[in-house]
Amino acid sequence: MSSSSWIPLWLHKLGSPPIFYRFAGVVRPWAMALAIITGAIALYGGLVLAPADYQQGDAYRIIFIHVPSAWMSMFIYGVMGIAAFIALVWRIKLAEVVAMESAPIGAAFTFITLVTGSLWGKPMWGTWWTWDARLTSELVLLFLYLGVIGLYHAFEDRRQGARAAAFLAIIGIINVPIVHFSVNWWNTLHQGSTISIFGHSKMSGAMLWPLLLMMLATKFYYIASLFRRVRTDLLSLESGKDWVRQIAQDEARS
């Protein structure tokens, strides 16, 4: 079998609710363990080992929470938008579930971004909030997440609600590049990017590695949290199916 025919078959099988349920059950504990380990190391590196900033002192250390959360707020919305598109075009139930269950996690990261940004902004800018382009577009991102969640739960038919929310998720994806490039497009209080994946980063290596490690930790946490939510939702959506009844019987016997 050629690789070109194997990959679509593999993806098709993984899209099956019972197969994905078992796959997620295996991956989720490992992802959560990696999230805890990498997150703990990153926090120790950022809060203890990294030196104080020559301008901001120790106040800058909030970036080890703020910046990874900001990255995740955009990353998760991108995943949600892609899953929503797949769900609408190919009517794949698992894609609907991934999109809808990504929204609460993304909203939480966006909320953390706004709160930590406010805590950082007070000593740096002298105010808790300003209608800065980056702050405003991030707030719009939170409203989009909440809109998707609200629209999904506004329908009695969950799949109808998921389709309506998927349209909003796709439309709202235009805000993601606005959040990312707002510092370059408008005159904002936020500083420009100091981290380059492929080029030279302006940040000290002692500060950079904990930040990148925390970014990795948040990715592992997203996977673990998403898989837990998807597994729970699949059991609810497929409650009348044989594979769900078999799981219930196996758990009753154990």
Side-chain angles (χ1 to χ4, degrees):
M1 183 180 295
S2 64
S3 60
S4 60
S5 61
W6 176 81
I7 294 176
L9 178 61
W10 177 80
L11 290 175
H12 176 73
K13 287 184 176 181
L14 188 59
S16 170
I19 292 178
F20 185 86
Y21 181 89
R22 291 191 291 269
F23 169 77
V26 172
V27 172
R28 190 189 69 83
W30 289 98
M32 182 57 75
L34 288 171
I36 294 172
I37 293 170
T38 54
I41 295 172
L43 282 177
Y44 183 75
L47 301 181
V48 179
L49 299 181
D53 183 75
Y54 75 99
Q55 286 183 321
Q56 303 180 31
D58 287 323
Y60 89 97
R61 297 184 192 277
I62 202 168
I63 70 169
F64 297 109
I65 301 296
H66 175 73
V67 174
S69 296
W71 285 342
M72 288 304 295
S73 70
M74 293 181 285
F75 174 79
I76 295 175
Y77 199 98
V79 173
M80 183 177 70
I82 293 171
F85 178 80
I86 294 172
L88 287 176
V89 174
W90 287 287
R91 304 281 181 171
I92 298 176
K93 184 184 297 185
L94 180 61
E96 284 184 6
V97 175
V98 168
M100 296 304 103
E101 295 303 329
S102 288
I105 309 171
F109 273 111
T110 308
F111 179 75
I112 293 171
T113 301
L114 291 170
V115 171
T116 54
S118 180
L119 293 173
W120 191 12
K122 179 60 176 176
M124 295 301 106
W125 304 333
T127 180
W128 297 104
W129 180 265
T130 181
W131 293 102
D132 175 89
R134 170 65 63 81
L135 289 172
T136 304
S137 55
E138 187 74 14
L139 181 62
V140 170
L141 192 65
L142 177 61
F143 289 154
L144 286 167
Y145 274 123
L146 296 178
V148 169
I149 296 169
L151 196 56
Y152 174 49
H153 292 287
F155 291 79
E156 291 186 7
D157 185 336
R158 293 177 63 181
R159 296 208 68 185
Q160 185 180 358
R163 285 191 288 271
F167 277 110
L168 177 59
I170 293 172
I171 294 171
I173 205 166
I174 191 174
N175 189 56
V176 174
I178 293 176
V179 175
H180 181 71
F181 293 108
S182 58
V183 175
N184 300 325
W185 292 347
W186 294 285
N187 183 24
T188 74
L189 293 175
H190 279 80
Q191 67 184 46
S193 176
T194 58
I195 300 173
S196 175
I197 301 298
F198 301 106
H200 176 69
S201 296
K202 300 175 184 177
M203 180 178 287
S204 164
M207 302 174 181
L208 181 61
W209 74 260
L211 187 62
L212 295 179
L213 192 61
M214 182 58 76
M215 181 185 71
L216 187 62
T218 55
K219 294 290 192 302
F220 286 134
Y221 174 80
Y222 170 57
I223 293 171
S225 182
L226 177 64
F227 281 10
R228 179 184 62 81
R229 297 181 66 93
V230 169
R231 277 164 56 88
T232 301
D233 207 18
L234 285 177
L235 290 179
S236 177
L237 287 173
E238 302 271 293
S239 58
K241 300 294 181 65
D242 291 339
W243 71 273
V244 176
R245 286 196 291 266
Q246 184 61 49
I247 289 174
Q249 292 173 3
D250 292 342
E251 290 182 352
R253 286 195 295 265
S254 62

